[in-house]
Amino acid sequence: MSKKKILTVPDVMLRKVSAPVITVDKEIKKLMDDMLETMYAAPGIGLAAVQVGILKRVIVIDLSKEDEKKTPLFIVNPEIIFKSNDLVSYEEGCLSIPNQFAEVKRPSSCKISFLDYNGKKKEMHAEGLLATCIQHEIDHLNGILFIDHLSKLKKDLILKKTKKQKKEIDRVVV
Ligand code: ZN
C-alpha cells in the first residue's frame, strides 16, 4: 500500500465527473488499498478516488472510532436507489477543503447498489452518519463538493478562508 496526495480546492480535478469502473481488477483493488491508507493517515472517514486524482467511481469509508476495530467499506460504482424525504443535518468537513466545516442538510437515509472489494454486486441501506457520508462521497464522483449545498455567501467565505490558509502554509515552506 502507498499513501497518496490528497487534492484540495480549487484543484480543477475535484470538479470532474468520475467514470464507472469496468472490472474490479488488481489495479482497482490496489487503488482501494492506497485510498484506505491515505484516508486513515489523513485522518478522515471517507475518501473518493477523485480526491487522489483518479477519475474512477470508487469510494472508501470507515466510521470506526480510533480505538475500535477497523471496519472499512469499499464502494465501487454506487447508485442511489432510494433517498428518504426527511432530512438530517450534520456538520460536514472534507479532506479536500481542509479545516472548514459547515452544516449540510441531506436525506437522513438512503439505499445504494454497488460493487464490493471483490466486484460482487451488493445493496446497502444506510442511516445517520453513514447515509450522510455516502452521499458526500457520491457527490465527489459527480464533481460536487459539500460547499455546493450552502448559500453562495457561506461557500465564498469558506473558499476565501481555504485560499488564505493555503497561502499561510506556503509561507513556511522554505
Ligand atoms: Zn469530501
Side-chain angles (χ1 to χ4, degrees):
M1 288 206 273
S2 57
K3 222 173 87 181
K4 292 185 177 281
K5 187 179 174 283
I6 297 175
L7 305 179
T8 55
V9 285
D11 198 303
V12 291
M13 280 291 271
L14 294 167
R15 291 309 191 173
K16 297 205 186 305
V17 175
S18 297
V21 169
I22 310 290
T23 3
V24 182
D25 54 13
K26 254 191 188 167
E27 190 198 329
I28 296 294
K29 283 182 182 165
K30 164 93 171 64
L31 171 65
M32 289 193 274
D33 293 341
D34 288 349
M35 283 169 62
L36 197 68
E37 190 186 340
T38 307
M39 182 186 80
Y40 285 150
I45 57 170
L47 190 72
V50 58
Q51 292 179 276
V52 293
I54 311 281
L55 289 170
K56 288 194 172 142
R57 301 185 85 79
V58 177
I59 292 167
V60 294
I61 290 174
D62 192 337
L63 301 184
S64 65
K65 304 236 166 56
E66 224 182 302
D67 51 349
E68 288 172 356
K69 193 177 167 275
K70 299 265 179 269
T71 50
L73 269 174
F74 302 96
I75 298 172
V76 178
N77 295 350
E79 298 280 354
I80 293 186
I81 46 185
F82 164 80
K83 264 187 198 179
S84 67
N85 287 324
D86 57 310
L87 307 175
V88 69
S89 60
Y90 275 97
E91 182 150 69
E92 292 188 27
C94 179
L95 293 173
S96 294
I97 312 172
N99 306 318
Q100 301 301 324
F101 301 90
E103 236 175 66
V104 179
K105 262 192 195 151
R106 298 183 189 269
S108 65
S109 66
C110 64
K111 194 176 177 185
I112 58 163
S113 68
F114 62 102
L115 301 176
D116 70 4
Y117 190 85
N118 296 308
K120 219 177 130 195
K121 192 155 188 196
K122 286 201 168 162
E123 282 186 4
M124 179 172 60
H125 178 82
E127 284 177 19
L129 180 59
L130 180 60
T132 286
C133 191
I134 286 172
Q135 292 171 70
H136 176 120
E137 300 310 330
I138 292 178
D139 270 357
H140 272 302
L141 304 183
N142 296 318
I144 297 165
L145 300 170
F146 83 87
I147 50 173
D148 299 339
H149 295 282
L150 308 174
S151 67
K152 191 179 180 304
L153 195 76
K154 274 191 196 163
K155 180 178 172 175
D156 288 348
L157 188 68
I158 287 181
L159 287 173
K160 215 168 110 187
K161 277 193 200 158
T162 313
K163 209 170 154 192
K164 195 172 158 235
Q165 195 176 272
K166 261 197 178 171
K167 261 192 205 153
E168 279 163 8
I169 292 166
D170 287 345
R171 217 174 282 153
V172 294
V173 179
V174 284

